[in-house]
Amino acid sequence: MLSIRLSVVTLGSLSQLSFAAAAAASAPKCDFQPVALPLKDVQVLPRVKDSYMRGIPIKVGTPPQDLVVMPWAELNNTFLYDYEAYCDKSIIWNDVICEVRRGEYFYENASSSYHQSRDVDTAGGATVETGAKGAELGIPELLSTSLGGTDTVALTDDPQLRLDKFPLGIPRMNWDHGYTIMHALGLGANSTLLNQLSAAGRIGSRTWSIFWGRMWNSRPLDGSVVLGGYDRDKTIGENYTQRLDYSETTGCWTGMKVTVQDMQIIRRDGKSSSLFPPNYSVPVCIVPQRQLLIEAPQRVLTEFEKQTQTARVKDTGLDGASAELHWGAITYSDKSFFDGDLSISLSSGLSVRVPNDQFMVPKPYVDRNGSRLLDRSYREFLFSPLADNGNPATLGRYFLTAAYLMVNHDAGTFTLWRANPTTSSSLVPVVAEKVAADVCGGDAPGLVQPSPTAGSDVQSGEGSDGRLSSGAIAGIAASVAALAILGLAGFFLVRKRRQGRAAEGTASMMIQDHNNGDSNGLYSGGSTAYAPSGWSEMPAHEQVAAPQELYGKTDWAQGQGYGRPGDPVPYELDSNSYSRINQ
């Protein structure tokens, strides 16, 4: 317990001391302003009118090239595709489709400000990327196989947000299978983007927030990614804050592990019914760039089709699963599909209602000429059944049409609200605890969010305007002073335990925490914490008990789902399977 507490305190100090001086120099009045990046439909190719993809528009190079990027919660580096974009020709029929789906190619040879390095590391990028189960299998190979270089990156038209000599990776392998589609903007725990903005004093903490917006309906709404804070107007009601936990035992490579305790269908007449059997829940990993609403056990889909009396179309791909932009979604005819809403309730207390037009959508695809079209003769249920191979369930981008997410790497936390789908905006800066003390003299604007302590896995606030309430913050911060006292003694204990432990490519700390399960069938066990290279420690949290029944079985014999018995889900394919389903 002592070592866990020490790691929380140490993370705050180490991750903030590096840029406190720079922040003081560039923002002496402690005037931190969050950066809002639009998340919207962008016309990728000027020559093709309807060549839209949803993402963040940025400019890279000299002269500036227009690209569309996707926020990636687990990647530390930013990776851009060039003219070797690794699209599978068996599914993506020509180069124009590939160019659109990648968000336009980055032509590094056409940029006078691009400087090639030996690799991503020597370019100044992060030296570690995740290799956790469930993430795309190619991620660990990106660092050793990608080209490395630096170039100018403009996040907006504001000259203060132009990053010179920003480290970039250019993939030289097919690592993401194409269905996550676009260039990857790394916002992970050691994000080069957040690190640079923090070091320059442009933002007060390595925090980012996201609302996906609304798509595919008659009144689409742009989303946003906010760096250094969050958008208060996009939030409703209580907030729920948990620790980021990257330990292998959570099975969540983004650190954002939650438990879905109920899913209900809400019919047009207002009546609702659960898709879960009694005493059932599903631990899930929030993965904002994933292309669907949810990946969950087959039994949930079976119950959905039973209650809604719907049957998937078999002629659209892999046994009714989409092979288009919503890879793996279940396809129904537009003559027979569920037209109600869906609610998702988490064990934290958060419950969101996802409107029908955000999870039962017309089938989008990119035509041969590069235009994004909708086939309205089909409806895609943005649900993918999990194969019985131990991969964790996930909540993807369409969960963030109904929920608002904030990730604070300095505090080691993530926070969820119900989302308010509005065009209005009120940005709130989030300031790191160390910066608030050293740079702002204890009087920081916006929100100062301390690191959580052991035993504060979930904190909720009551603020009706979506603020992190003082009660929630006080609950998180109550024992910070006590931790500081214990820290000195714990420091020597942890240092002793850390000696002699090899950590190839990363500074790591291994902590075993043995808890006992309770009468509700919960389990707990050892946890492993690791840190990106360059950090001396990463918070090693107590093992959080999770429901005993994790994943349902997949009834492959009856043709439910896609693939064959024992096949992994798409992002766990081996190299011999790329041509079969890779996009």
Side-chain angles (χ1 to χ4, degrees):
M1 183 68 72
L2 180 61
S3 58
I4 292 173
R5 291 183 174 182
L6 175 65
S7 65
V8 173
V9 175
T10 304
L11 173 65
S13 59
L14 288 176
S15 61
Q16 294 154 6
L17 282 173
S18 61
F19 63 83
S26 60
K29 296 182 180 180
C30 194
D31 185 22
F32 298 111
Q33 297 297 322
V35 178
L37 307 178
L39 189 56
K40 63 181 184 178
D41 280 345
V42 181
Q43 183 176 331
V44 176
L45 303 179
R47 66 183 186 274
V48 181
K49 179 181 178 181
D50 297 320
S51 57
Y52 291 110
M53 292 299 293
R54 184 81 155 193
I56 301 170
I58 65 171
K59 296 181 184 294
V60 181
T62 307
Q65 301 175 35
D66 292 306
L67 305 178
V68 188
V69 300
M70 183 72 68
W72 277 65
E74 67 267 41
L75 287 177
N76 293 320
N77 293 289
T78 292
F79 293 92
L80 305 180
Y81 292 96
D82 66 358
Y83 34 82
E84 294 187 38
Y86 300 98
C87 290
D88 185 350
K89 299 297 183 182
S90 67
I91 295 176
I92 298 178
W93 309 110
N94 60 36
D95 290 337
V96 176
I97 300 175
C98 182
E99 192 174 1
V100 171
R101 292 184 57 151
R102 289 305 194 195
E104 181 58 292
Y105 300 153
F106 170 54
Y107 296 96
E108 69 271 24
N109 295 336
S111 173
S112 61
S113 52
Y114 178 79
H115 297 284
Q116 186 168 333
S117 300
R118 184 176 69 247
D119 50 33
V120 179
D121 182 6
T122 55
T127 59
V128 172
E129 297 287 5
T130 183
K133 181 178 177 62
E136 279 70 7
L137 281 177
I139 288 180
E141 305 299 324
L142 279 173
L143 292 174
S144 61
T145 61
S146 296
L147 298 180
T150 62
D151 209 337
T152 299
V153 175
L155 299 174
T156 70
D157 293 333
D158 185 348
Q160 294 186 22
L161 293 175
R162 192 186 74 176
L163 304 173
D164 294 321
K165 298 181 179 179
F166 184 74
L168 301 168
I170 301 176
R172 280 296 177 261
M173 62 174 287
N174 185 351
W175 66 279
D176 74 337
H177 306 300
Y179 60 83
T180 33
I181 303 169
M182 283 174 287
H183 309 285
L185 185 70
L187 295 173
N190 197 24
S191 166
T192 54
L193 174 64
L194 295 176
N195 288 348
Q196 283 205 12
L197 292 175
S198 294
R202 185 60 182 80
I203 57 177
S205 67
R206 297 179 306 114
T207 296
W208 65 281
S209 306
I210 181 171
F211 170 60
W212 184 256
R214 298 286 173 90
M215 301 181 69
W216 318 121
N217 56 22
S218 60
R219 300 179 64 183
L221 177 67
D222 289 349
S224 69
V225 170
V226 178
L227 308 179
Y230 72 102
D231 191 337
R232 179 188 298 143
D233 286 0
K234 300 295 193 300
T235 68
I236 301 176
E238 294 185 14
N239 57 80
Y240 300 88
T241 296
Q242 293 179 229
R243 293 190 304 251
L244 290 165
D245 190 345
Y246 302 92
S247 60
E248 293 180 5
T249 51
T250 67
C252 183
W253 57 99
T254 66
M256 293 180 279
K257 180 72 168 287
V258 296
T259 298
V260 176
Q261 69 176 17
D262 196 16
M263 289 180 61
Q264 295 192 3
I265 56 172
I266 305 173
R267 297 174 176 83
R268 295 289 291 273
D269 61 6
K271 296 180 180 179
S272 61
S273 58
S274 178
L275 300 178
F276 282 13
N279 303 315
Y280 180 79
S281 58
V282 181
V284 300
C285 187
I286 299 176
V287 189
Q289 77 276 1
R290 282 282 165 88
Q291 75 277 14
L292 304 178
L293 169 65
I294 189 169
E295 297 169 287
Q298 170 67 39
R299 65 184 301 173
V300 180
L301 177 62
T302 301
E303 184 65 21
F304 172 84
E305 293 183 331
K306 175 184 176 182
Q307 291 193 26
T308 60
Q309 297 183 341
T310 52
R312 72 193 68 176
V313 176
K314 298 292 186 178
D315 61 353
T316 60
L318 301 171
D319 194 24
S322 175
E324 298 294 345
L325 293 177
H326 294 137
W327 201 101
I330 302 302
T331 307
Y332 300 99
S333 166
D334 70 332
K335 307 299 182 185
S336 177
F337 65 93
F338 176 63
D339 62 355
D341 294 345
L342 184 69
S343 74
I344 299 176
S345 299
L346 306 183
S347 60
S348 64
L350 177 71
S351 182
V352 299
R353 179 166 174 165
V354 186
N356 184 268
D357 58 18
Q358 298 305 298
F359 71 87
M360 192 69 71
V361 304
K363 183 172 75 174
Y365 66 98
V366 179
D367 201 10
R368 290 177 180 270
N369 70 349
S371 297
R372 192 186 68 189
L373 304 176
L374 289 177
D375 187 343
R376 296 187 180 276
S377 63
Y378 298 106
R379 290 291 187 274
E380 291 183 335
F381 180 27
L382 303 184
F383 180 109
S384 182
L386 287 174
D388 187 22
N389 63 351
N391 279 324
T394 66
L395 287 167
R397 63 184 68 163
Y398 287 93
F399 175 65
L400 300 174
T401 65
Y404 190 91
L405 169 68
M406 180 178 78
V407 181
N408 186 337
H409 291 304
D410 286 318
T413 61
F414 69 99
T415 301
L416 289 167
W417 292 262
R418 282 188 298 132
N420 181 28
T422 179
T423 57
S424 68
S425 178
S426 177
L427 301 182
V428 178
V430 176
V431 181
E433 196 172 16
K434 183 68 175 178
V435 174
D438 292 355
V439 179
C440 304
D443 186 21
L447 169 71
V448 178
Q449 189 178 18
S451 301
T453 63
S456 62
D457 299 312
V458 178
Q459 297 287 342
S460 65
E462 301 293 335
S464 60
D465 63 354
R467 301 171 188 264
L468 284 176
S469 70
S470 58
I473 299 171
I476 294 173
S479 58
V480 170
L483 294 180
I485 297 173
L486 292 172
L488 184 61
F491 173 78
F492 296 103
L493 175 61
V494 174
R495 284 288 298 271
K496 182 177 180 180
R497 290 179 179 176
R498 286 169 56 89
Q499 289 176 353
R501 288 177 175 162
E504 183 176 356
T506 180
S508 66
M509 178 167 60
M510 314 291 285
I511 296 179
Q512 296 298 322
D513 176 32
H514 302 285
N515 299 326
N516 295 320
D518 64 16
S519 59
N520 294 320
L522 306 181
Y523 76 92
S524 58
S527 62
T528 300
Y530 63 93
S533 178
W535 291 9
S536 65
E537 291 180 273
M538 186 82 172
H541 306 308
E542 290 180 306
Q543 175 64 30
V544 179
Q548 187 176 28
E549 183 167 61
L550 300 183
Y551 308 108
K553 301 292 184 180
T554 301
D555 190 359
W556 298 105
Q558 297 182 19
Q560 305 296 319
Y562 44 84
R564 300 171 305 207
D567 274 0
V569 291
Y571 44 86
E572 284 289 326
L573 289 175
D574 57 56
S575 58
N576 296 325
S577 303
Y578 288 170
S579 62
R580 178 165 63 87
I581 62 174
N582 176 37
Q583 292 192 68

